[in-house]
Amino acid sequence: MSVPFKIVIPARHSSSRLPGKPLLDIAGKPMVLRVLDRAVQAGADEVWVATDHSGIAEVVEAAGGKVILTAADHPSGTDRLAEVATQLGWADDTLVVNVQGDEPLIPPQLIADAAAALAADPAAAIATACHPLESVDEFFNPNVVKVVMGADGRALYFSRAPIPWARDAFAADRSTLPAGLPAFRHIGLYAYRAGFLKRYSTLAPSPLEQWEALEQLRAMAHGFPIQVMVLDHAPPAGVDTADDLERVRRVFDLT
């Protein structure tokens, strides 16, 4: 059964690797509009693009999308969403899915599933996703964030370190992942309750968050549960680099 939810697409113009990324062309449309197309298909009752750039706002408005201008100096994407929830006066129990502005291939059903996962766990503040890791190189790669979950599906910890650590198996061989190891890669898709978003900026940063450079650890350090849905496989990757952009362009050229 579908649940009511909102979508916010943060779209910042500045990017160290791809300046002006939301406005880069993908098969005749700026990237931000490609993401907006996917988000609209997810069935949310409202979809907003949150940006600090007038050019992005103009492009979205010209396409008939909803735009909200936010401050340029937010320390995290979560803080930007909190400003949106506050500006629009959303009730604390409103479900808000954050769809990154560089995910033009995100499956619309995945967005809806994130909202449903949060709705199904009334005590959770956040829902996110993961998928099984099969590559030992990714398991040991600090740029790949891992997550371990409890029996209730909630996150126990997120880390750039290889967790869980198979003590005996890795003592003998680290060239492959041992069979049955519950190794999962975290996917940076989040659904939030608006009440949590409004509280987030008041929470003191956690030492774990700072050491790992993972902002979701702030929520966990302050006792906010995170529900994690497990996908069968990884969704299509987003756009971080020029090579990523060309890969995505090829996908659209073939459709």
Side-chain angles (χ1 to χ4, degrees):
M1 184 176 70
S2 62
V3 299
F5 65 100
K6 322 281 191 189
I7 293 174
V8 178
I9 304 169
R12 295 175 64 248
H13 189 267
S14 60
S15 170
S16 56
R17 285 185 284 188
L18 281 177
K21 183 162 58 170
L23 298 178
L24 295 176
D25 181 81
I26 297 177
K29 273 190 178 184
M31 186 186 307
V32 67
L33 296 187
R34 291 294 182 188
V35 179
L36 183 61
D37 287 345
R38 294 292 176 122
V40 168
Q41 294 172 39
D45 48 358
E46 292 181 43
V47 180
W48 291 84
V49 174
T51 186
D52 56 4
H53 189 267
S54 60
I56 294 172
E58 289 168 5
V59 164
V60 174
E61 288 177 336
K66 294 181 177 180
V67 180
I68 184 165
L69 290 172
T70 55
D73 57 352
H74 284 302
S76 74
T78 310
D79 291 292
R80 190 173 304 278
L81 260 69
E83 182 185 352
V84 173
T86 301
Q87 278 201 50
L88 296 177
W90 287 340
D92 286 353
D93 60 354
T94 302
L95 305 184
V96 184
V97 181
N98 176 17
V99 176
Q100 296 294 343
D102 57 5
E103 299 277 356
L105 296 176
I106 188 169
Q109 188 59 51
L110 177 57
I111 301 170
D113 288 347
L118 184 54
D121 187 350
I126 305 170
T128 188
C130 70
H131 68 85
L133 267 172
E134 299 177 355
S135 161
V136 71
D137 291 337
E138 288 190 330
F139 185 69
F140 285 102
N141 183 348
N143 294 317
V144 174
V145 178
K146 276 70 69 173
V147 58
V148 289
M149 292 88 74
D152 58 2
R154 292 180 181 173
L156 296 174
Y157 192 60
F158 296 85
S159 184
R160 298 181 182 279
I163 57 172
W165 183 257
R167 185 194 66 174
D168 296 339
F170 286 141
D173 180 14
R174 298 187 188 180
S175 65
T176 60
L177 291 178
L181 182 71
F184 294 95
R185 178 177 191 161
H186 177 232
I187 299 165
L189 172 70
Y190 293 99
Y192 301 93
R193 285 192 163 80
F196 167 78
L197 287 172
K198 296 170 189 176
R199 288 193 61 186
Y200 180 80
S201 62
T202 71
L203 302 176
S206 146
L208 290 173
E209 166 198 3
Q210 295 172 325
W211 282 111
E212 294 260 19
L214 297 173
E215 66 180 87
Q216 65 268 39
L217 292 177
R218 185 184 310 185
M220 294 192 69
H222 289 275
F224 290 95
I226 300 177
Q227 180 62 230
V228 185
M229 59 178 180
V230 179
L231 310 181
D232 292 334
H233 51 78
V239 177
D240 288 323
T241 67
D243 287 344
D244 292 336
L245 180 63
E246 291 309 311
R247 168 181 52 79
V248 169
R249 283 172 170 166
R250 287 194 294 271
V251 171
F252 278 91
D253 286 343
L254 293 173
T255 58

